[in-house]
């Protein structure tokens, strides 16, 4: 069995040799520092009011690709000269956002001051009519984190996790609860306080990020973690939430083992993999804590469609949205610096077809877990 990990072990050794060259993880901000930064914002508002001026808040524009740059060893990072949006209390278009930002700053201040935590859902359902929607609250929280230059976990506001994890892994939650992820048939929800996890114990050879929950469940049902033991599998159930990304980063920082991605051979699967690897535009200010640039694409590769003679009837024709997405991907710096990825994307665009991971079941019911993935890992079939 040991021979199946020869290439994975070689990769692990190579990755460990390259550690520390540009790895600059964002450090947590102390509670007094967070309070001081909030007080500074409020002081500016008080001064404006005392001088008879309408107070304003300045928040970074996090929605434009022009405001991020690509750093090969970190991912998408925020530029230093990002334009700001001005929220004015005397402007009808921004007065509500201004008031909600102050309200959330007040909530955060009390949480940090009392060293207590709340989930975003707790805050929203405490006054749902005030915020209007959970999405609005989430966006304002990100604006505050960016404005204060404080990672979200230091604001004492947690998000409910949607991801799951399984495999050769044990750790302690911040409250001392022991979590064992080694059950072969069930998975453990990703912690809502990843930063508080400690005493991580694992002998895993690799981490496998699985794009979709259905595929993740299939791996569990086929006892993948037992068949290819020791390993860790994790899913963010589609576009990953922050906690799933934090968990992958924490495991990489602690274990320094290869991280592979298993995604659909379509433009959206590739983009989800890039979020784990290089980060997202809207959270570029937290890139150092959320990205794992060493992530490798294990499958499903577009070239695998022909290599494994996937039945034509299981393939899906490109839509106009797919074409637009793939054209967008090809303009991004983090794709152009990966020639092997570029070739795979060109193959997909030439075929004008996409394939879901589940299509491998049309070859044989257990082809994914008993042939495809074991061979990929044994022979180094990643890019």
């Amino acid at each position: 069995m040991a021979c199946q990990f020869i290439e994975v072990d070689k990769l692990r050794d190579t990755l460990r040799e390259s550690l520390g060259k540009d790895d600059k993880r964002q450090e947590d901000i102390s509670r007094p520092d967070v309070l001081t930064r909030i007080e500074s914002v409020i002081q500016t508002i008080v001064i404006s009011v005392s001088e008879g001026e309408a107070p304003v808040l300045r928040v970074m524009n996090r929605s434009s690709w022009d405001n991020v740059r690509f750093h090969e060893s970190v991912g998408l990072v925020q530029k230093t000269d990002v334009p700001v949006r001005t929220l004015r209390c005397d402007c009808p278009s921004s007065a509500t956002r201004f008031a909600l930002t102050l309200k959330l700053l007040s909530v955060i201040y009390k949480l940090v001051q009392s060293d207590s935590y709340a989930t975003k859902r707790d805050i929203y359902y405490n006054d749902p009519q005030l915020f209007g929607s959970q999405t609005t609250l989430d966006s304002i929280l990100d604006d505050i984190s960016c404005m204060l230059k404080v990672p979200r976990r230091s604001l004492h506001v947690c998000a409910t996790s949607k991801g799951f994890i399984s495999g050769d892994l044990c750790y302690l939650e911040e409250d001392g609860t022991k979590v064992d992820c080694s059950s072969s048939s069930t998975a453990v929800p990703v912690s809502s306080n990843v930063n508080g996890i400690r005493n991580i114990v694992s002998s895993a050879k690799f981490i496998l990020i699985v794009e979709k929950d259905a595929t993740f469940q299939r791996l569990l049902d086929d006892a993948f973690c037992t068949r290819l033991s020791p390993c860790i599998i994790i899913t963010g159930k589609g576009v990953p939430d922050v906690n799933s990304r934090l968990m992958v980063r924490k495991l990489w920082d602690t274990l320094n083992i290869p991280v592979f991605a298993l995604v659909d051979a379509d433009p959206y699967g590739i983009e989800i993999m890039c979020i784990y690897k290089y980060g997202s535009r809207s959270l570029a200010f937290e890139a150092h804590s959320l990205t794992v640039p060493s992530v490798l694409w294990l499958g499903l590769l577009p070239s695998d469609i022909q290599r494994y003679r996937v039945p034509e009837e299981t393939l899906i024709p490109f839509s106009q949205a797919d074409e637009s997405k793939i054209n967008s991907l090809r303009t991004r710096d983090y794709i152009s610096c990966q020639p092997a990825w570029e070739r795979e994307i060109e193959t997909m665009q030439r075929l004008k077809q996409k394939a879901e991971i589940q299509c491998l079941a049309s070859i044989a019911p257990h082809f994914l877990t008993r042939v495809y993935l074991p061979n990929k890992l044994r022979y180094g079939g990643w890019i």
Side-chain angles (χ1 to χ4, degrees):
M1 291 292 287
C3 65
Q4 70 183 336
F5 293 124
I6 290 175
E7 293 301 319
V8 174
D9 287 341
K10 287 180 183 177
L11 175 62
R12 178 201 61 202
D13 294 340
T14 301
L15 291 172
R16 288 180 177 178
E17 286 176 5
S18 64
L19 280 176
K21 292 181 179 178
D22 288 294
D23 194 15
K24 187 179 67 174
R25 181 167 182 173
Q26 186 179 17
E27 296 297 326
D28 286 343
I29 309 298
S30 68
R31 287 172 51 221
D33 197 3
V34 175
L35 296 175
T36 298
R37 295 184 191 198
I38 295 175
E39 289 164 359
S40 178
V41 172
I42 302 304
Q43 185 178 37
T44 300
I45 291 174
V46 171
I47 291 173
S48 295
V49 172
S50 68
E51 294 176 349
E53 300 176 356
V56 300
L57 290 169
R58 292 178 173 83
V59 296
M60 299 287 189
N61 182 348
R62 299 181 293 106
S63 61
S64 172
W65 283 104
D66 293 333
N67 298 332
V68 297
R69 63 182 177 85
F70 173 62
H71 190 297
E72 193 165 347
S73 65
V74 179
L76 295 174
V77 296
Q78 195 173 61
K79 292 180 179 178
T80 55
D81 55 347
V82 175
V84 297
R85 292 184 295 119
T86 301
L87 303 179
R88 300 184 60 89
C89 70
D90 61 346
C91 177
S93 63
S94 64
T96 299
R97 186 91 176 188
F98 178 93
L100 292 178
T101 302
L102 284 186
K103 169 63 177 178
L104 193 50
L105 277 170
S106 171
V107 172
I108 291 168
Y109 191 90
K110 292 174 183 175
L111 289 171
V112 176
Q113 191 177 46
S114 62
D115 197 17
S116 54
Y117 290 82
T119 67
K120 292 190 293 185
R121 290 182 66 81
D122 288 339
I123 296 172
Y124 171 70
Y125 282 110
N126 191 48
D127 198 340
Q129 290 186 330
L130 177 66
F131 288 101
S133 72
Q134 183 74 59
T135 302
T136 298
L137 187 149
D138 294 352
S139 176
I140 293 173
L141 180 65
D142 288 341
D143 281 344
I144 289 173
S145 178
C146 188
M147 175 175 64
L148 299 177
K149 294 182 171 56
V150 172
R152 293 200 304 177
R153 60 186 178 276
S154 297
L155 298 179
H156 286 228
V157 180
C158 304
T160 303
S161 297
K162 69 172 185 173
F164 284 89
I165 191 166
S166 183
D168 189 310
L169 176 67
C170 292
Y171 57 84
L172 294 181
E173 293 275 13
E174 189 172 41
D175 63 2
T177 302
K178 183 178 180 180
V179 178
D180 186 350
C181 305
S182 62
S183 171
S184 61
S185 59
T186 58
V188 173
V190 171
S191 172
S192 60
N193 183 13
V194 175
N195 191 52
I197 288 174
R198 63 187 191 277
N199 292 18
I200 292 176
V201 177
S202 174
S203 57
K205 294 283 189 177
F206 64 90
I207 299 163
L208 180 63
I209 297 168
V210 183
E211 176 191 349
K212 295 190 298 190
D213 184 50
T215 306
F216 182 83
Q217 293 300 324
R218 182 58 185 267
L219 296 184
L220 287 179
D221 292 343
D222 285 359
F224 176 82
C225 291
T226 300
R227 291 177 181 278
L228 272 83
S229 178
C231 69
I232 297 168
I233 60 173
I234 184 170
T235 181
K237 299 172 72 173
V239 178
D241 59 326
V242 169
N243 287 326
S244 296
R245 293 169 61 187
L246 282 170
M247 191 69 178
V248 174
R249 176 60 194 242
K250 182 134 189 154
L251 292 175
W252 160 244
D253 283 337
T254 306
L255 304 176
N256 302 146
I257 55 178
V259 182
F260 301 113
L262 178 64
V263 299
D264 287 340
D266 68 21
Y268 295 93
I270 294 171
E271 183 162 61
I272 286 170
M273 174 172 57
C274 289
I275 290 174
Y276 284 103
K277 184 176 178 72
Y278 293 126
S280 59
R281 179 180 55 192
S282 63
L283 294 180
F285 63 95
E286 279 204 69
H288 287 283
S289 300
L290 292 173
T291 64
V292 182
S294 62
V295 168
L296 291 160
W297 190 359
L298 188 67
L300 178 67
L301 303 181
S303 59
D304 290 336
I305 295 172
Q306 294 176 316
R307 183 178 297 115
Y308 291 97
R309 298 180 182 178
V310 176
E312 184 75 21
E313 61 269 19
T314 66
L315 304 181
I316 306 169
F318 254 31
S319 66
Q320 187 59 49
D322 293 323
E323 194 68 45
S324 298
K325 177 60 69 175
I326 205 166
N327 287 330
S328 173
L329 284 170
R330 295 190 67 177
T331 65
R332 301 181 193 176
D333 291 341
Y334 56 62
I335 295 295
S336 59
C337 77
Q338 298 266 6
W341 286 31
E342 272 196 310
R343 288 192 294 271
E344 291 293 337
I345 292 174
E346 287 169 4
T347 298
M348 184 189 300
Q349 196 164 31
R350 185 180 68 254
L351 295 173
K352 292 192 178 300
Q353 291 178 313
K354 57 186 181 180
E356 297 183 333
I357 300 164
Q358 291 93 320
C359 74
L360 294 176
S362 65
I363 301 174
H366 299 284
F367 187 80
L368 172 66
T369 54
R370 301 186 186 181
V371 179
Y372 182 80
L373 290 175
N375 283 347
K376 284 270 184 174
L377 294 162
R378 180 188 291 264
Y379 299 112
W382 52 75
I383 58 175

